[in-house]
Amino acid sequence: MKAVGICGSDVHYLRVILLFIVHSHARTKRGVKSASRANIRWILIELQEMRIAHFVVKEPMVIGHECAGVIEEVGSGVKQLAVGDRVALEPGVSCWRCRHCKGGRYNLCDDMKFFATPPVHGSLANQIVHPGDLCFKLPDNVSLEEGAMCEPLSVGVHACRRADVGPEKRVLIMGAGPIGLVTMLAARAFGAPRIVIVDVDEHRLSVAKSLGADAGVKVSTRAEDMAEEIEKIQAAMGAEIDVSLDCAGFSKTMSTALEATRAGGKVCLVGMGHNEMTVPLTSAAIREVDVVGIFRYKDTWPLCIEFLRSGKIDVKPLITHRFGFSQKDVEEAFEVSARGRDAIKVMFNL
């Protein structure tokens, strides 16, 4: 491994793993004596959130899944790669036997082994072993850090494919975090003529505009502000919204997307902020607004690498912080990523 980025899921899982360790300690005789009842009650409440969607942390694990590295050794069956090749890694290993895999939608495989998704260890390590057909050689003008960025960029590319983004589709993006920003870059690369992005943070909106968003709209977290905000969003677009991509995944953001999108348009849920939502589906249904979701990605690495090679997408400005791989670096890197603020993508250089 040479470059590993920190994803929001990594931050969440790290917090969960630490809670797991504290909880395990508190259950020992010594731990129970040293921990107050209030603290133990807090730990048990937190343990209920030891999941992302249906993936539950049950024991400590290595995290990290946005990664690129240099080939050290190849097996006898690997013909397309050689020692010394620089590669970006697709982090999910599917079974290739189930109906989803055979049908080409391997990202939905029930037996997927995905880096840093419980109970599978991730790629924040000095060496890993990975299938050769999931290692993609990088062109000379694409760095290892950019190779690691193929993973979050793949989310945006897959979302744009699912939502049929193209030259005739005006696009609204809810959320200007890392996934919202790469989705915006992907939408532009797919030909979207106008892109409006929405967030609660003014700094993130300024970053989005510097990366090519046509307009940014600041919103609140209050549901009662939604009607007025939709008017502002539609005014910023200056025309009907054909496609909305919700990269936050909260009740309010999804409701805003559904109500702002034109009749006959499409809304794609990308983010996973809430496991359950209350949204105006009936209103969307009678306007025939199609709703689709995404889960990870499929067949995206070659296109992502081509976007990077050609310069059609530049992910370098998204990498705001860099760290080494010492204990101190790892701790500081996750603290920076968890704080957010001006941090977009935090990257380890191993």
Side-chain angles (χ1 to χ4, degrees), residues 300-328:
T300 52
W301 258 252
L303 181 57
C304 288
I305 291 172
E306 176 55 24
F307 279 153
L308 298 175
R309 184 204 64 79
S310 66
K312 203 166 185 179
I313 288 180
D314 182 8
V315 294
K316 294 189 290 294
L318 299 178
I319 305 171
T320 55
H321 295 75
R322 293 173 172 83
F323 292 89
F325 194 41
S326 67
Q327 180 71 24
K328 180 181 177 182

Side-chain angles (χ1 to χ4, degrees), residues 84-99:
D85 283 347
R86 300 176 317 118
V87 294
L89 278 66
E90 183 172 350
V93 183
S94 56
C95 74
W96 293 113
R97 296 184 301 274
C98 70
R99 152 174 89 86

Side-chain angles (χ1 to χ4, degrees), residues 133-168:
D133 60 358
L134 296 176
C135 299
F136 297 86
K137 190 172 179 179
L138 295 172
D140 291 340
N141 68 332
V142 176
S143 70
L144 286 159
E145 286 188 340
E146 291 172 280
M149 289 294 292
C150 283
E151 198 281 336
L153 181 57
S154 286
V155 176
V157 166
H158 187 51
C160 287
R161 284 175 171 171
R162 290 275 288 156
D164 298 322
V165 172
E168 297 181 345

